[in-house]
């Protein structure tokens, strides 16, 4: 059974860097599936942040691209999100997810999410 | 970016009703569309992919159709556990995008 678990600080100060990790169990992170971060501000809809492929290709949301980095540590079976220069608008539930490879592949497994609040 | 517009944004219905949610894409996305269900406090759950393929374990009262720019999700007979928010997502090209969501509530 594939399981994903997000972890990281629940409170980040404005202008600082948000750092989250997603631990993956039950599937090798270096295999063909794609790994993604998705967020949801309180009371609002879902926003894709970015995706990482084991071959090294990474794709980011154009609205976040200048501030976001997704990286993978295959030795620890985890991948990470860094978002710099955060503001209150970055307050959200952050989810990690696995995406099925191939055109049109959906996000089939999700973590439970971790709430990050940006506040002084 | 490909914009997805769901309608309605809010839907009130009763147990046993048949409901349909529409998702329209700003440009053609073939059948590269997925539907997710989200209940309060929970992560989204994959219901349907490739527009009309039911994810394993999802009840057969859920069905999907469409291709190109117009897609629908239908629940044939609402059950109490179906009252949730539903999102469509296009997976045709990056950046990936979601619809704004349809909140389905009990009448």
């Amino acid at each position: 059974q594939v399981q994903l678990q997000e972890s990281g600080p629940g409170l980040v100060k404005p202008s600082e860097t948000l750092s989250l990790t997603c631990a993956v169990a039950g599937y090798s992170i270096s295999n063909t599936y794609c790994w993604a971060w998705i967020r949801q501000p309180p009371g609002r809809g879902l926003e894709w942040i970015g995706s990482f492929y084991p071959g090294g290709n990474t794709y980011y949301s154009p609205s976040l691209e200048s501030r976001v980095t997704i990286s993978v540590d295959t030795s620890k079976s985890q991948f990470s999100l860094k978002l710099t220069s955060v503001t209150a608008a970055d307050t959200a539930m952050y989810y990690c997810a696995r995406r099925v490879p191939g055109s049109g592949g959906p996000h089939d497994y999700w973590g439970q999410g971790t709430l990050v609040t940006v506040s002084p | 970016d490909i914009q997805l517009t769901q309608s309605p944004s809010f839907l009130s219905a009763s147990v046993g009703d048949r409901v349909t949610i529409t998702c329209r894409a700003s440009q053609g996305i073939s059948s590269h569309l997925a539907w997710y269900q989200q209940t309060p406090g929970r992560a989204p759950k994959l219901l349907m992919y490739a527009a009309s393929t039911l994810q394993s374990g999802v009840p057969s009262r859920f069905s999907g159709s469409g291709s190109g720019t117009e897609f629908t999700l239908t629940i044939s007979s609402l059950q109490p556990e179906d009252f949730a928010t539903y999102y469509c997502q296009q997976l045709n090209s990056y950046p990936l995008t979601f619809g704004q969501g349809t909140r389905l509530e009990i009448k």
Side-chain angles (χ1 to χ4, degrees):
Chain A
Q1 175 75 350
V2 179
Q3 292 184 315
L4 294 87
Q5 178 68 58
E6 305 88 349
S7 62
L11 182 65
V12 181
K13 291 182 168 52
S15 80
E16 294 190 344
T17 296
L18 179 161
S19 296
L20 298 175
T21 297
C22 179
V24 179
Y27 187 82
S28 172
I29 202 169
S30 57
N31 281 353
T32 55
Y33 281 71
C34 167
W35 307 94
W37 287 98
I38 293 161
R39 70 180 183 179
Q40 184 172 37
R44 299 183 63 184
L46 300 165
E47 178 186 19
W48 172 77
I49 298 171
S51 298
F52 178 93
Y53 287 80
N57 288 341
T58 307
Y59 299 88
Y60 298 124
S61 167
S63 65
L64 299 171
E65 188 165 19
S66 63
R67 299 193 291 130
V68 68
T69 303
I70 295 175
S71 59
V72 172
D73 186 339
T74 54
S75 67
K76 295 182 179 179
S77 193
Q78 64 186 34
F79 62 105
S80 301
L81 170 71
K82 289 192 188 300
L83 184 65
T84 62
S85 305
V86 297
T87 69
D90 296 310
T91 293
M93 184 72 78
Y94 285 76
Y95 296 101
C96 58
R98 187 184 82 164
R99 183 184 174 190
V100 176
S103 293
H107 296 93
D108 60 349
Y109 284 95
W110 296 62
Q112 65 185 28
T114 188
L115 179 63
V116 178
T117 301
V118 178
S119 176
Chain B
D1 300 5
I2 298 172
Q3 309 301 319
L4 296 180
T5 304
Q6 289 183 231
S7 59
S9 294
F10 178 83
L11 184 55
S12 181
S14 301
V15 173
D17 283 353
R18 177 185 179 92
V19 298
T20 296
I21 300 168
T22 298
C23 179
R24 290 187 173 87
S26 59
Q27 62 191 77
I29 57 171
S30 184
S31 61
H32 299 153
L33 188 100
W35 290 96
Y36 301 88
Q37 176 193 64
Q38 187 179 35
T39 52
R42 303 292 298 272
K45 171 189 172 184
L46 177 64
L47 293 178
M48 196 88 54
Y49 61 95
S52 61
T53 302
L54 204 62
Q55 173 69 349
S56 175
V58 174
S60 59
R61 63 181 179 273
F62 290 89
S63 63
S65 67
S67 67
T69 61
E70 185 151 338
F71 303 84
T72 59
L73 173 70
T74 298
I75 310 172
S76 60
S77 178
L78 279 171
Q79 299 302 301
E81 60 269 28
D82 301 336
F83 292 92
T85 300
Y86 294 84
Y87 294 93
C88 58
Q89 182 194 27
Q90 68 83 15
L91 299 134
N92 187 70
S93 61
Y94 286 107
L96 306 182
T97 48
F98 290 90
Q100 82 277 16
T102 294
R103 184 177 173 188
L104 176 55
E105 290 202 341
I106 300 175
K107 185 182 288 184

